[in-house]
Amino acid sequence: MTTEQTSEQPSTGNSKPIIEIIGMHKWYDDFHVLKDINLEVQPQERIVVCGPSGSGKSTMIRCINRLEEHQRGQIIVNGTELTRDLKNIERVRTEVGMVFQHFNLFPHLTILENLTVGPIWVRKTPKKEAEELAMHYLEIVRIPEQAQKYPGQVSGGQQQRVAIARSLCMKPKIMLFDEPTSALDPEMIKEVLDVMVDLAREGMTMIVVTHEMGFAKTVADRVIFMDFGEIVEENEPNAFFDNPQHERTKLFLSQIL
Amino acid sequence: MSESTVRIEEIKPPSSDVGMIGWVRHHLFNGVFNSIATIVIFGFLIKIIPDFIQWAFIDSVWFTSGKECHAAQGACWSVITQNIRFNIFGYYPFEEQWRPLVAMIILISMLVYSRDWNRWNKMLGYAWALSLFIMGVLMKGGLFGLVPVESTKWSGLPLTLLLSFFGILMSYPLGVVLALGRQSRMPVIKAFSVVYIEIIRGVPLITLLFMSSVMFPLFLPEGVTIDKVLRAQVAIILFTAAYIAEVVRGGLQAMDKGQYEAAESLGLNYFQMMRLIILPQALKIVIPPTVGILISAFKDTSLVVIIALYDILNTTKSILTDPEWTGFSTEAYIFIAMIYYICCFSMSQYSRRIEKQLEYKHTPTQGP
Ligand SMILES: Nc1ncnc2c1ncn2[C@@H]1O[C@H](COP(=O)(O)OP(=O)(O)O)[C@@H](O)[C@H]1O
Ligand SMILES: [Mg+2]
C-alpha cells in the first residue's frame, strides 16, 4: 500500500491533520446514521463531542478506529486511510486508544495483565518491560496499588482509570473517549475527569464524547454538536456555550445546563 | 423465621429448626407432597435393601466355577472373578496383558497428577507427550523388543479408555474451531461449519461408526486399508466435535460485545483476541454442559460393538455367551456399571475441580 510510507512519518505539529474525515456516510441497513461528516483534527487538539442520545456520536468515533465500517467518504488516521485492508486497520488501532462507557476491562485478567496484554502481543514488548510500563501508567492514573487485583474487585471509577491506563500502555497518538463517566456514580466522576485533564495537559490528541460541560470548558479546543447524524455546529468552547448559533444547539444546551 | 416475634433476646433459633430434627423436617417432611414422597421412598428402600444384601453378600458366591454358581442361591460374582482378565483385556495376547495394564496405570496417574490447574505448564506438556509415546509403544509393540500386537486385538477396558481419551482430547479443540467457524464472517468457512455441525448432529453415532467401518473402505483404492480402531476413533471425534461446537457457540454468544471491542481497539488480531480474551472466558462459562457431552461421549464408545470392536461392554457380552456363565448377566453388568460409574463420576469431579480453581483465581488473596 502507498499509505505505508506516509504513516511512518512522525506527526509533528506542522498543522497536517492527524485525523481527516471527508464526506463520510454510514448506514445501519436502511437507517442513515451518519450524514456527510467532515472533520479535521490537528495533532494535540482536544475535541469534545456532544448531542442528544442517538444522534450518532458513538458511531462516529467508533468509525475512527473501525469498530464500525463507514460506507461512503474517507477516514484518514495519521496518514493511513481506513479501508477493508486488515493491515491498515490493525495499524490504525495501535495508534488510536479507546475508552468505553462500560470500561470493558478483561475480567479474567488481573489489572496488571489487562495493561500488559496489548504491549506484549501487539507491540511485542518483553514481559518485564511491559510490566514496568504498566506500573508507570497505573501511577499516572493513581492506582498502582491495585495492580494484582481483578477488575471486579475495584470500584467503577478505578476500573475506568485502569481502562484509560490500558489504552495508554499502547502509546497511542490519539485517544477516543465514549462517554467515559456516564456509567459512574457521581462521586467517582471527578477522579476520572482529573486523569483526563492531566492527559490533555500532556498534549494528547483527544476526542471525547461527553456531557460534562465543565470538562469541555476547561480542556476542549473545539466543541462539536451533533444531531440526527449530522455535525450541526462546531466552535471553540466559550463561543459554543455562550453564543450558540443554531436553534437545535440552543435547545440542547437549555436541556443539559 | 416466624418465631422471631416471640422474644427478641432469643439468640438460638428454635430447636425444631436446627440439628437432626430440623434437618429432617426441612428436607424430608417439608409439605404434604414431600412427606408422602419420603414415606413411599423409605417404604420401598426398606423392602428392597435387605433382599439385595441377602442376594449380593450373604447368599453369594465369589470364586467358584459356573456349575457351582448355578447351584447357589445368591449372586454369582464368580462370573467376574473367573473371567476378569478377559473382561478387562479381551483378546489382547494373554502373556502381554501387563502392557495395557501399565499403559492404563500411566494414563490414570497422569490424569490424576494433572488435576491441579496450576500444575499445567510446559513440563507437564512434555511429560504428557512422553507418556503418550510410551503408552503407544506398550500397546502396539514392535519397539524395544516388545512383541507387536495388532490393533484388532486391542479390546476391553484399554480400548474403551483409548477411544474415550482421544475422542475427548481431539474433539474438544475441533469443536472449538467449528464453533469459531460458525461465527466466521467468511461465508465459505461459515457455511462449511454450519453444514458439518447440522449434518453430524442429525445422524446417530451408530450410523457414523457403521459408515466408517463399512462404507468408507469402499472409497479407498484397492489394497489400502485404514486401521479399524482408528476409523472408529475418527468417527467418535467427528461426532463429539459437532456437539462441543454448539455448546461453545453458546458460550461465545454469552460474551459481552464490549470484550471484542476492547480487544480489537487494543490492536489484537483475530487469533490473539480469541485466544487471550474471548475463549478463556467463553469456555469457562460452558464447562458444565461441555462435561455433560464428554461424559456421554465416554458412554457412547460402547457403540463400537456395532463394528465388531470389543470394548469392555462387548467383552462382557461374549463372556455371557459362554454356556458356563449364561444367566449371570445381572452380576456382570453390575460390575460394568460400576466401572462406567467410576469413570463418569471422576470426570465430573475432575471438571468441577478445574472450574473451581479457575474461580479461585478471582479471589483477592491470590498473587501472581
Ligand atoms: N448496531 C446497530 N445497528 C442498528 N442501529 C444502531 C446500531 N448502533 C446504533 N444504532 C442506532 O444508530 C443511532 C446512533 O447511535 P449512537 O451512535 O450510539 O448514538 P449516540 O452515541 O449519539 O447516543 C441510534 O439511533 C441507534 O439506535
Ligand atoms: Mg453513545
Side-chain angles (χ1 to χ4, degrees):
Chain A
M1 289 298 296
T2 47
T3 48
E4 188 94 46
Q5 301 96 36
T6 45
S7 76
E8 300 301 314
Q9 288 171 3
S11 57
T12 45
N14 56 1
S15 99
K16 187 180 175 304
I18 193 164
I19 302 173
E20 273 179 283
I21 304 179
I22 306 160
M24 189 261 277
H25 293 254
K26 172 164 182 64
W27 288 262
Y28 285 121
D29 297 321
D30 287 345
F31 176 51
H32 200 171
V33 55
L34 293 177
K35 301 162 190 162
D36 193 28
I37 302 289
N38 290 285
L39 180 67
E40 280 192 1
V41 182
Q42 302 301 324
Q44 309 206 335
E45 202 177 5
R46 276 106 26 174
I47 292 183
V48 162
V49 182
C50 62
S53 174
S55 57
K57 307 179 297 294
S58 299
T59 308
M60 182 181 80
I61 69 166
R62 288 155 61 86
C63 282
I64 295 172
N65 69 350
R66 195 70 168 193
L67 290 181
E68 302 287 352
E69 199 179 310
H70 61 283
Q71 279 100 24
R72 259 173 64 187
Q74 279 182 300
I75 301 177
I76 300 159
V77 180
N78 201 30
T80 306
E81 181 173 359
L82 282 168
T83 58
R84 288 254 161 87
D85 187 329
L86 278 178
K87 274 238 151 54
N88 283 356
I89 294 173
E90 272 165 26
R91 180 173 330 115
V92 166
R93 282 176 179 164
T94 61
E95 286 162 5
V96 179
M98 180 136 190
V99 175
F100 302 87
Q101 183 175 358
H102 296 287
F103 331 135
N104 298 355
L105 294 176
F106 306 130
H108 63 300
L109 301 179
T110 62
I111 285 172
L112 189 70
E113 288 165 341
N114 265 275
L115 267 65
T116 55
V117 66
I120 289 175
W121 293 91
V122 180
R123 295 258 189 246
K124 313 291 179 206
T125 312
K127 184 161 182 248
K128 204 161 168 303
E129 214 173 295
E131 283 175 353
E132 282 163 12
L133 184 76
M135 289 311 295
H136 170 71
Y137 282 110
L138 281 178
E139 266 157 38
I140 286 189
V141 300
R142 300 165 202 158
I143 35 174
E145 71 283 357
Q146 311 283 13
Q148 298 304 337
K149 288 194 182 168
Y150 285 88
Q153 298 168 332
V154 302
S155 74
Q158 291 174 327
Q159 289 190 45
Q160 191 61 297
R161 286 186 280 153
V162 172
I164 293 172
R166 177 175 68 180
S167 291
L168 292 176
C169 280
M170 291 297 292
K171 304 232 166 104
K173 298 200 170 75
I174 301 158
M175 286 285 285
L176 308 175
F177 295 82
D178 191 359
E179 305 205 30
T181 57
S182 49
L184 293 176
D185 292 336
E187 74 271 18
M188 295 173 181
I189 291 178
K190 186 171 178 299
E191 65 188 53
V192 171
L193 289 180
D194 285 348
V195 167
M196 290 168 62
V197 170
D198 287 351
L199 203 55
R201 295 226 170 89
E202 295 292 316
M204 176 64 75
T205 311
M206 293 163 75
I207 302 183
V208 184
V209 176
T210 185
H211 292 154
E212 293 292 332
M213 291 307 142
F215 175 81
K217 282 179 188 160
T218 18
V219 299
D221 298 310
R222 248 193 303 163
V223 180
I224 287 177
F225 173 69
M226 287 184 72
D227 201 6
F228 295 109
E230 291 171 305
I231 295 182
V232 175
E233 181 162 349
E234 65 178 275
N235 214 331
E236 55 90 23
N238 287 331
F240 180 86
F241 289 112
D242 300 340
N243 189 15
Q245 300 298 308
H246 289 257
E247 282 310 310
R248 285 195 264 172
T249 319
K250 284 177 194 161
L251 181 66
F252 176 74
L253 288 176
S254 73
Q255 282 163 348
I256 63 158
L257 290 178
Chain B
M1 293 290 114
S2 58
E3 277 94 331
S4 63
T5 46
V6 179
R7 258 171 36 223
I8 291 169
E9 68 269 31
E10 197 172 50
I11 294 169
K12 285 186 184 163
S15 64
S16 60
D17 272 5
V18 290
M20 262 283 276
I21 299 170
W23 189 92
V24 167
R25 249 180 60 154
H26 214 85
H27 290 90
L28 300 179
F29 295 99
N30 137 43
V32 178
F33 177 78
N34 276 355
S35 304
I36 294 174
T38 301
I39 289 165
V40 169
I41 290 169
F42 266 98
F44 181 71
L45 289 178
I46 285 168
K47 201 170 148 29
I48 201 168
I49 287 176
D51 287 356
F52 180 79
I53 290 175
Q54 182 80 24
W55 175 79
F57 299 107
I58 298 171
D59 293 341
S60 60
V61 292
W62 288 81
F63 301 100
T64 60
S65 70
K67 207 177 264 154
E68 286 161 78
C69 263
H70 284 286
Q73 286 288 312
C76 168
W77 299 117
S78 315
V79 66
I80 298 153
T81 55
Q82 302 301 318
N83 297 303
I84 188 76
R85 285 188 64 170
F86 180 77
N87 202 344
I88 300 285
F89 298 109
Y91 295 105
Y92 205 91
F94 196 78
E95 292 73 35
E96 305 292 330
Q97 284 175 1
W98 63 271
R99 283 159 48 181
L101 181 66
V102 172
M104 287 195 295
I105 291 171
I106 295 176
L107 177 66
I108 290 165
S109 318
M110 285 303 290
L111 285 171
V112 169
Y113 183 81
S114 310
R115 75 194 183 281
D116 262 328
W117 183 252
N118 32 19
R119 288 184 185 154
W120 290 29
N121 55 25
K122 238 192 202 132
M123 275 313 290
L124 187 62
Y126 294 137
W128 266 106
L130 183 66
S131 312
L132 290 177
F133 174 74
I134 294 173
M135 286 187 260
V137 170
L138 281 170
M139 289 301 287
K140 201 150 179 82
L143 274 179
F144 310 120
L146 294 171
V147 188
V149 177
E150 284 298 312
S151 66
T152 44
K153 295 225 170 69
W154 299 2
S155 32
L157 188 58
L159 180 66
T160 298
L161 292 182
L162 175 93
L163 291 174
S164 317
F165 180 73
F166 284 101
I168 289 167
L169 192 71
M170 311 299 284
S171 64
Y172 190 71
L174 181 59
V176 171
V177 169
L178 283 166
L180 294 178
R182 190 164 189 166
Q183 298 219 319
S184 169
R185 288 203 203 129
M186 282 174 266
V188 180
I189 293 177
K190 186 180 171 121
F192 173 82
S193 307
V194 171
V195 168
Y196 175 90
I197 291 168
E198 294 306 330
I199 286 182
I200 297 275
R201 294 209 315 157
V203 172
L205 175 57
I206 232 168
T207 316
L208 277 186
L209 287 169
F210 195 71
M211 282 180 7
S212 78
S213 156
V214 179
M215 283 171 55
F216 183 61
L218 299 179
F219 297 110
L220 289 178
E222 201 74 33
V224 177
T225 55
I226 295 181
D227 192 297
K228 192 162 158 188
V229 174
L230 183 63
R231 275 182 278 148
Q233 181 76 81
V234 169
I236 289 170
I237 291 170
L238 295 182
F239 182 78
T240 309
Y243 286 82
I244 298 278
E246 283 301 272
V247 166
V248 171
R249 183 166 71 111
L252 290 173
Q253 280 172 348
M255 289 294 299
D256 177 11
K257 234 179 89 218
Q259 294 290 304
Y260 290 88
E261 293 176 352
E264 283 182 342
S265 63
L266 278 180
L268 296 173
N269 65 31
Y270 176 82
F271 296 101
Q272 293 169 335
M273 172 172 78
M274 284 300 164
R275 200 184 120 206
L276 301 166
I277 309 299
I278 304 300
L279 285 177
Q281 297 183 62
L283 295 182
K284 183 169 162 271
I285 305 174
V286 297
I287 286 178
T290 309
V291 173
I293 287 171
L294 298 181
I295 285 178
S296 53
F298 173 75
K299 291 186 287 188
D300 284 350
T301 55
S302 60
L303 293 172
V304 295
V305 60
I306 192 81
I307 54 171
L309 286 179
Y310 280 81
D311 76 317
I312 190 160
L313 195 62
N314 210 7
T315 57
T316 310
K317 276 188 188 149
S318 58
I319 291 166
L320 293 171
T321 55
D322 180 344
E324 189 181 352
W325 299 109
T326 41
F328 302 114
S329 52
T330 311
E331 292 86 339
Y333 285 137
I334 285 178
F335 176 63
I336 296 307
M338 275 169 50
I339 290 184
Y340 271 95
Y341 179 76
I342 290 169
C343 293
C344 294
F345 185 70
S346 314
M347 281 166 77
S348 86
Q349 288 301 310
Y350 203 86
S351 70
R352 204 167 305 169
R353 207 185 156 93
I354 287 180
E355 196 178 4
K356 266 232 186 75
Q357 285 168 356
L358 294 179
E359 209 71 66
Y360 287 155
K361 260 185 79 175
H362 293 240
T363 61
T365 47
Q366 175 99 24

